[in-house]
Amino acid sequence: MMEEKISLLREEVVAKMNDVKTASDVENIRVEYLGKKGLVIEILKNLKNVEADKRKEVGEKANVLRVEIEKMIETKKEELKELEYENSIKNSEKIDITIPVEDKVGSLHPITIVQRELEEIFTGMGFTVEDGNEVETEYNNFEAVNVPKYHPARDMQDTFWLENGELLKTQTSAAQNKIMLKYGAPLKAIFPGRCFRNEALDASHENTFFQMEGMMIDKDVSISNLIYFMKTLLSEIFKKDVEVRLRPGYFPFVEPGFELDIKCPYCDGKGCKVCKGGSWIELCPCGMIHPNVLKMGGIDPEEYSGFAFGLGLSRLAMMKYNINDLRALNSCDVRVLKQMNIK
Ligand code: DAH
């Protein structure tokens, strides 16, 4: 009698499961059969009323059914999830081809454009393009480029520190050491990247900005190589011959170090708004890589020499697109990009 009831219940559940459409249908079945007052649970609870010689068998059968129903519920839930996923894909692939297309749907960011342009120029001159991290160790950002703890040059590059002692890199120079250790000499590489500093913000200071670092290391590399590469590069960017000059500049990782200026390409040095009447624009700090930096990078300074430079990508983008506030580049304001009229 009880056994018959159990097998009827099984048929019932199977039939109901086949009709299930939603997760709440599944839940209803669960409650009806396996809930506190569920039909199968009731049988188990009332085993004491079953005749003694049948009790064990009925108990076993009811338990088997309970497990079977649990399994059916699991399987059904999986099936429903799968179905829901497939439907969502089908729906998201619907494309409304009647929506009119705007004639201009977007553009690359000015920094991306300048970065890609530079990468093309440099790869044409045999440089590889390398990646650098944004989160760096203190060692890579400072020590490995000859800025030991307590060096006064650290004051100019206050940054954001992580709880684990690492930091947001303040300069693309932070990748110099890793790249030297990876490739050894000779080496020609550029490495663009986002840099961070803890700055008070104004039109020419941002806490987040972009640089592009470059290094060339080989036998007999001299300042003339540096000047040649810089001149070629800047002429390509400004699409005309540019005049450059070097002034002494101090950076712990180069010796000698320079500030490279270009004759203002907008007024040819006559004086204008861009060069603020000064005829020259400070564009790219650079120098001959310090022997300590080469040594830490596993390169023998007796045998090899090299130059390095740190181009301000944000700066270059501002010049190229005539942007006078650095903050506009990170503002995420589409109106700014629209104004730049980038094609
Ligand atoms: N890392 C320097 C800065 O952010 C810029 C720099 C100067 C890079 C001279 C160089 C270099 O490679 O030679 O202020």
Side-chain angles (χ1 to χ4, degrees):
M1 173 69 185
M2 253 325 189
E3 282 108 317
E4 241 168 67
K5 189 172 173 194
I6 291 174
S7 61
L8 277 178
L9 283 179
R10 175 178 291 107
E11 279 166 27
E12 233 176 79
V13 176
V14 171
K16 283 188 180 166
M17 275 294 177
N18 282 337
D19 284 344
V20 154
K21 301 253 160 4
T22 65
S24 70
D25 294 344
V26 180
E27 178 59 11
N28 288 340
I29 295 177
R30 192 193 64 77
V31 173
E32 188 177 350
Y33 294 89
L34 304 183
K36 265 194 196 137
K37 295 197 173 139
L39 298 171
V40 179
I41 300 303
E42 286 293 317
I43 296 177
L44 287 166
K45 274 190 197 159
N46 295 322
L47 278 178
K48 56 182 181 306
N49 303 331
V50 177
E51 301 134 60
D53 59 331
K54 294 254 172 94
R55 202 171 289 152
K56 186 166 174 253
E57 203 189 334
V58 171
E60 270 174 14
K61 290 208 159 139
N63 254 321
V64 168
L65 178 58
R66 184 175 59 84
V67 174
E68 275 178 11
I69 297 177
E70 277 168 358
K71 277 201 185 128
M72 281 189 256
I73 289 175
E74 272 319 298
T75 321
K76 204 60 185 183
K77 277 188 184 162
E78 283 301 312
E79 271 175 36
L80 286 175
K81 246 199 239 162
E82 194 75 6
L83 206 70
E84 196 183 331
Y85 177 64
E86 275 169 21
N87 283 338
S88 76
I89 292 180
K90 266 190 219 145
N91 291 337
S92 67
E93 277 185 354
K94 270 187 201 143
I95 297 171
D96 185 351
I97 52 166
T98 62
I99 295 176
V101 180
E102 275 186 52
D103 55 339
K104 187 167 172 228
V105 285
S107 70
L108 292 174
H109 192 279
I111 292 182
T112 311
I113 297 175
V114 173
Q115 178 180 328
R116 290 194 182 170
E117 223 174 275
L118 288 170
E119 286 176 357
E120 211 170 303
I121 299 169
F122 272 107
T123 45
M125 298 194 290
F127 283 67
T128 59
V129 182
E130 304 295 328
D131 239 352
N133 299 338
E134 292 182 351
V135 171
E136 261 301 354
T137 57
E138 187 177 353
Y139 176 81
N140 282 334
N141 196 77
F142 291 122
E143 271 99 339
V145 284
N146 212 24
V147 187
K149 264 205 163 74
Y150 310 116
H151 191 292
R154 285 204 182 192
D155 287 353
M156 291 178 293
Q157 302 201 0
D158 188 18
T159 184
F160 304 95
W161 295 81
L162 277 67
E163 273 164 11
N164 66 3
E166 295 188 334
L167 48 81
L168 297 188
K169 76 160 181 267
T170 62
Q171 48 185 350
T172 39
S173 313
Q176 283 196 5
N177 187 260
K178 262 191 270 180
I179 292 172
M180 284 188 282
L181 291 175
K182 183 169 171 197
Y183 294 107
L187 160 73
K188 281 204 274 185
I190 52 166
F191 25 117
R194 197 194 309 257
C195 302
F196 307 85
R197 289 195 198 167
N198 186 6
E199 295 272 8
L201 308 190
D202 63 31
S204 52
H205 293 89
E206 249 290 17
N207 53 30
T208 308
F209 56 96
F210 290 80
Q211 291 185 336
M212 180 180 281
E213 188 96 357
M215 272 199 302
M216 174 177 173
I217 301 172
D218 207 335
K219 291 189 170 141
D220 304 320
V221 171
S222 73
I223 299 173
S224 346
N225 297 102
L226 168 65
I227 298 175
Y228 167 77
F229 275 100
M230 287 296 121
K231 247 184 103 119
T232 313
L233 161 76
L234 296 167
S235 306
E236 292 262 2
I237 293 175
F238 292 104
K239 312 271 183 268
K240 60 173 172 179
D241 252 357
V242 295
E243 231 180 284
V244 300
R245 74 175 184 191
L246 292 180
R247 286 177 293 118
Y250 174 71
F251 303 95
F253 26 89
V254 280
E255 180 55 42
F258 306 103
E259 289 287 358
L260 183 137
D261 300 338
I262 58 166
K263 175 80 78 59
C264 179
Y266 296 99
C267 64
D268 289 324
K270 291 187 195 74
C272 68
K273 244 174 51 192
V274 180
C275 60
K276 299 194 183 90
S279 311
W280 293 89
I281 299 172
E282 187 180 307
L283 198 64
C284 178
C286 52
M288 300 304 295
I289 303 174
H290 196 290
N292 287 352
V293 176
L294 288 174
K295 260 189 248 166
M296 283 184 275
I299 294 173
D300 182 1
E302 299 293 330
E303 198 181 346
Y304 289 98
S305 53
F307 66 76
F309 60 87
L311 254 177
L313 268 190
S314 303
R315 186 98 188 261
L316 213 54
M318 283 171 76
M319 281 186 63
K320 194 168 160 127
Y321 293 102
N322 222 341
I323 303 162
N324 49 27
D325 192 326
L326 180 58
R327 291 166 294 188
L329 290 172
N330 291 347
S331 70
C332 296
D333 188 337
V334 211
R335 289 171 305 176
V336 173
L337 294 177
K338 281 196 176 141
Q339 269 177 20
M340 290 174 203
N341 200 20
I342 293 166
K343 296 282 178 302

